[in-house]
């Protein structure tokens, strides 16, 4: 048991409860058992009560403070000075004297590694060893991962029954890990035994009689790691991360030290494969338990990258990490003394309803699935995250293509190695009918795969298969389409102001949604642009009733302000589409609004009559061929208090609205653009700049011919993106210091002036340096 630095003051959560509730809460806290069955089965569910009512509590039995909400866990990851990782590999159960003696007999001396070292040692070492983890370097491993996975599937594909853990999910990641590390593929079962022993030794609660056997295996693992390292030292010229580390040791011995290499050798073997093996078993189990999700990725493999993120979120292989406070601090209103040990439950954070809608549901199209904390966050985020993602993606691609009829074997009991931090079933039995294996009739099934897109946000690939259910001419050259999901699935939810990306015969085009979010479909209205880029022509000529289409989104960067209830809506031409949805939403809310709608002629103005019919004289129409022009200067001359102006239409209309509202308070105007921003001009006219990533502790150079987003990706930093044209706002980051050359079409003038955020896909530094919150 760890000496407890327990509660020093009254807990604000407890004092808000009745006496009866407080007793029940105290009982739950006392019963918290991270080695018990409920925690092993589903750690997030086991502390649902904590997320709801007591997100920070002290476990006497464990000697740890337990933290369970998303924002708190993320904030702790972010601040690795107040919350030191130095206890991350500490034995959570103190070893017996006998176990200690055994470990000493092997000269066991696990020192700090990347996982548990403090600054200033950590970041220089991380930088020195990072290159093999960059997406460009990882891409070299994809063929090997795929070949291995196919070989293992070949071994059981005709059997009709397999334990995926024993027959594939342990050995493939282990082989990949050894290849990645550049370590010889020694005896697999022995390495597996060593790895499990290391987990139990560090994060488990072995019974006294187990301790000697565990220590024996850990000692042998330590010796094995040392032997391998000696061989690599003799010839460090080969490929792999460990030879790379040995070479870096020669160049910068004070950064990549000798003792460090031995420890990272052993920790690396475990970290690089055990978490992946467990994550894969969890993911396959979860998807087979949620059959619709499994069937969806079988039918549409482009959904697999985001399904991987959703599985990592919902049932990742990391239950919790540990930290120790270096100063008195406060977490979610609870005073925590210096020296307190923390169990920060990333598994629970990933199911926090404050961050994820309907968090217990498995939704493989969840747009923010990738925001899970399974890989940690900030300077200590898992370096191997993209290798793990690649393996999980390849496993799911191979299994769904070759065994789509796979099912969980009935009546199996899932067992887990009891420990606080890593979880995955020890066995995963699946069954199928080999006579239905697709490759028996179509051998090409073995070959068809898409390349893994390492480091790209999976949300970009989320799509919905829909069908054109209605088609209607709603103006000269304007057609309205109603899209409904295939197969009776619910339509994706959307809010007024949203847009979708529609696949137009290989082109992706953005269209704002019109219609009513409540009626279970998606509606767009598309103007045929004779000299456009082809999207509108495709819609007009090819999308007939019954045509299947692929849709991404919806996403919304043009929302009605929830706190303001007076609005002026301005639309030009086809810009009426999002404006009509906003007006409907304002009407539903009972807000005060007026709508001004200009067009070439009444016949060209989609929905004009319907809007007049529905909203009466709050709708003002300005058909150019009938005389009265929309006079924006007169309309917007006087800033109106507590009022927002929303505008969508051609660029010249938006410029005019912007000019007319120049005297309005900052943030009064919101606009939706049709055309993309200029992301990168002629590289000859661009300047390179430095960017400090405050949370990751890195400094990168953004060359003149690359965007900031491209530079971040190349350095293994996760950043969301969608349009990559400055239109959608998905790649927004917080700016800490430096002046920004804003080139997006998302931020308002006021937001640009405040300089608090920027879009990484297009905006750049005005000077030589920027600091951003990544
Ligand atoms: Fe859309 Fe940057 S990705 S604005």
């Amino acid at each position: 048991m760890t000496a407890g630095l327990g509660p020093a003051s009254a807990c604000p959560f407890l004092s808000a409860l009745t006496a009866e509730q407080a007793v029940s809460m105290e009982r739950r806290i006392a019963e918290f058992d991270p080695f018990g069955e409920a925690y092993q089965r589903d750690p997030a569910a086991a502390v649902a009560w904590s997320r709801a009512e007591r997100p920070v509590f002290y476990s006497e039995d464990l000697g740890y403070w337990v933290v369970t909400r998303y924002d708190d866990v993320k904030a702790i990851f972010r601040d690795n000075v107040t919350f030191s990782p130095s206890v991350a590999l500490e034995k959570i159960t103190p070893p017996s004297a006998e176990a200690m003696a055994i470990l000493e007999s092997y000269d066991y001396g696990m020192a700090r590694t990347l996982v548990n070292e403090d600054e200033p040692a950590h970041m220089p070492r991380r930088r020195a060893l990072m290159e093999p983890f960059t997406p460009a370097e990882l891409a070299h491993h994809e063929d090997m991962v795929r070949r291995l996975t196919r070989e293992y599937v070949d071994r059981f594909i005709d059997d009709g029954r397999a334990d995926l853990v024993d027959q594939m999910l342990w050995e493939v990641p282990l082989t990949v890990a050894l290849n990645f590390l550049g370590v010889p593929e020694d005896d697999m079962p022995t390495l597996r035994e060593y790895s499990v022993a290391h987990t139990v030794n560090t994060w488990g609660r072995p019974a006294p009689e187990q301790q000697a056997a565990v220590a024996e295996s850990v000692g042998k693992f330590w010796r094995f790691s040392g032997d391998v390292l000696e061989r690599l030292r003799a010839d460090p010229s080969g490929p792999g991360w460990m030879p790379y580390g040995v070479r870096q040791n020669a160049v910068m011995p004070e950064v990549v030290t000798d003792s460090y290499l031995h420890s990272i050798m052993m920790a690396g073997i475990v970290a690089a494969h055990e978490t992946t093996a467990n994550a894969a078993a969890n993911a396959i189990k979860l998807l087979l338990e949620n059959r619709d999700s499994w069937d969806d990725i079988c039918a549409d493999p482009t959904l697999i990258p985001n399904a991987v993120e959703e599985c990592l979120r919902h049932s990742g292989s990391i239950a919790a990490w540990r930290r120790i406070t270096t100063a008195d601090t406060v977490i979610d209103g609870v005073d925590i003394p210096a020296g307190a040990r923390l169990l920060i439950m990333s598994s629970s954070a990933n199911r926090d309803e404050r961050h994820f809608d309907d968090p217990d549901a498995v939704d493989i199209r969840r747009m923010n699935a990738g925001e899970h904390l399974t890989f940690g966050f900030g300077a200590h985020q898992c370096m191997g995250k993209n290798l793990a993602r690649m393996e999980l993606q390849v496993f799911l691609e191979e299994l769904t293509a070759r065994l789509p009829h796979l099912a969980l074997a009935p009546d199996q009991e899932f067992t887990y190695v009891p420990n606080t931090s890593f979880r995955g079933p020890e066995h995963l039995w699946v069954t199928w009918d080999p006579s239905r294996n697709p490759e028996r009739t179509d051998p090409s099934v073995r070959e068809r795969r898409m390349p893994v897109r390492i480091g790209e946000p999976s949300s970009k690939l989320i799509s919905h298969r829909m069908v054109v259910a209605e088609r209607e001419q709603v103006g000269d050259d304007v057609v309205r389409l109603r899209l409904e999901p295939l197969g009776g699935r619910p339509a994706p939810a959307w809010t007024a102001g949203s847009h979708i990306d529609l696949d137009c015969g290989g082109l992706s085009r953005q269209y704002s949604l019109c219609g009513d979010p409540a009626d279970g479909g998606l509606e767009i209205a598309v103007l045929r642009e004779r000299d456009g880029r082809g999207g509108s022509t495709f819609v007009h000529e090819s999308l007939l009733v019954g045509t299947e289409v692929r849709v991404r989104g919806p996403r919304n960067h043009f929302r009605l302000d929830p706190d303001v209830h007076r609005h002026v809506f301005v639309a030009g031409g086809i810009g009426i589409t999002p404006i009509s949805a906003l007006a409907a939403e304002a009407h539903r809310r009972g807000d005060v609004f007026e709508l001004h709608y200009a067009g070439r002629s009444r016949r060209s103005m989609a929905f004009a009559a319907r809007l007049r019919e529905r909203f009466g004289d709050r709708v003002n129409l300005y058909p150019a061929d009938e005389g009265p022009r929309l006079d924006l200067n007169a309309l917007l001359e006087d800033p109106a208090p507590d009022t927002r102006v929303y505008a969508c239409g051609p660029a010249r209309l938006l410029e005019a609205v912007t000019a007319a509202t120049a005297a309005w308070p900052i943030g009064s105007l919101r606009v939706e653009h049709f055309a993309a921003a200029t992301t990168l001009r002629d590289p000859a006219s661009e300047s390179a700049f430095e960017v400090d990533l405050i949370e990751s502790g890195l400094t990168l150079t953004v060359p003149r011919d690359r965007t900031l987003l491209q530079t971040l990706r190349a350095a293994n930093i996760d950043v969301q993106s969608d349009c990559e044209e400055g239109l959608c706002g998905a790649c927004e980051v917080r700016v800490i210091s430096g002046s920004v050359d804003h080139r997006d079409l998302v931020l308002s003038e006021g937001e640009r002036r405040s300089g608090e955020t920027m879009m990484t896909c297009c905006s750049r530094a005005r000077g030589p340096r920027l600091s951003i919150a990544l």
Side-chain angles (χ1 to χ4, degrees), residues 84-273:
S84 161
S86 59
V87 292
L89 298 179
E90 186 178 83
K91 292 175 187 53
I92 205 158
T93 301
S96 64
E98 184 189 5
M100 285 292 284
I102 292 170
L103 289 171
E104 275 167 28
S105 73
Y106 284 96
D107 281 335
Y108 178 72
M110 179 65 111
R112 297 286 188 92
T113 71
L114 289 174
V115 173
N116 62 345
E117 54 189 5
D118 289 311
E119 306 304 346
H122 167 250
M123 275 322 295
R125 213 168 267 173
R126 190 175 169 99
R127 273 186 223 114
L129 295 168
M130 198 165 64
E131 192 178 313
F133 289 98
T134 57
E137 291 297 317
L138 287 180
H140 302 312
H141 298 278
E142 183 181 346
D143 285 348
M144 178 261 296
V145 173
R146 203 171 286 285
R147 177 179 48 75
L148 269 174
T149 308
R150 286 181 177 171
E151 282 173 15
Y152 273 76
V153 175
D154 285 344
R155 294 179 192 177
F156 58 69
I157 192 161
D158 292 321
D159 295 352
R161 184 175 167 83
D163 175 0
L164 289 181
V165 173
D166 274 357
Q167 293 175 248
M168 174 176 146
L169 298 180
W170 202 273
E171 288 190 7
V172 176
L174 182 52
T175 314
V176 170
L178 296 177
N179 266 281
F180 176 77
L181 294 170
V183 171
E185 292 175 29
D186 280 54
D187 183 15
M188 296 268 184
T190 308
L191 279 173
R192 181 175 179 184
E193 178 199 319
Y194 290 171
S195 294
V196 172
H198 177 59
T199 297
V200 173
N201 185 50
T202 310
W203 296 280
R205 179 146 289 182
E209 62 277 13
Q210 280 180 293
Q211 288 220 10
V214 166
E216 196 67 45
S217 289
V218 170
K220 286 179 183 159
F221 194 2
W222 180 252
R223 184 179 287 167
F224 165 85
S225 306
D227 291 346
V228 174
L229 183 58
E230 282 318 304
R231 273 183 270 158
L232 293 180
R233 276 189 200 283
D235 177 11
S237 62
W241 192 51
M242 286 310 301
Y244 180 81
V246 173
R247 295 196 294 271
Q248 292 291 76
N249 167 250
V251 178
M252 45 180 89
E254 70 296 342
V255 175
V256 183
T257 59
D258 289 342
S259 72
Y260 169 81
L261 278 179
H262 193 167
S263 298
I264 199 69
M265 168 64 93
M266 178 164 158
I269 291 173
V270 175
H273 93 278

Side-chain angles (χ1 to χ4, degrees), residues 557 709 720-732 744-746 759-762:
H557 300 285
L709 181 66
Q720 292 299 313
S721 73
D722 189 5
C723 69
E724 299 188 9
E725 295 180 297
L727 282 170
C728 73
C731 64
E732 185 173 16
D744 65 276
L745 297 173
V746 178
M759 302 302 154
T760 56
C761 71
C762 56

Side-chain angles (χ1 to χ4, degrees), residues 715-765:
N716 227 12
I717 304 294
D718 290 342
V719 196
Q720 292 299 313
S721 73
D722 189 5
C723 69
E724 299 188 9
E725 295 180 297
L727 282 170
C728 73
C731 64
E732 185 173 16
V733 297
R734 208 153 51 79
V735 177
I736 308 294
S737 66
S739 175
V740 180
D741 175 6
H742 292 285
R743 299 182 185 176
D744 65 276
L745 297 173
V746 178
L747 296 177
S748 68
E749 205 37 53
E751 289 166 328
R752 287 176 172 218
R753 260 181 269 144
S754 81
E756 288 174 5
T757 69
M758 69 183 291
M759 302 302 154
T760 56
C761 71
C762 56
S763 299
R764 300 179 73 81

Side-chain angles (χ1 to χ4, degrees), residues 658-707:
T658 304
T661 52
W664 287 55
I666 286 173
S668 299
L669 173 64
R670 297 190 176 188
V671 295
E672 175 86 328
H673 290 264
F674 293 154
T678 311
T679 52
L680 199 62
R681 301 184 182 129
D682 175 3
S685 65
E686 301 283 13
S687 300
F689 60 98
E690 303 275 291
V691 59
D692 297 316
L693 312 186
I694 299 303
E695 285 162 2
S696 309
L698 291 174
T699 297
L700 305 174
T701 300
V702 183
R704 53 172 60 195
D705 61 349
R706 296 194 114 188
T707 65

Side-chain angles (χ1 to χ4, degrees), residues 478-491:
V478 182
V479 68
R480 177 187 71 88
L481 302 182
R482 179 180 168 76
L483 310 176
E484 292 183 354
L486 278 174
R489 299 286 169 81

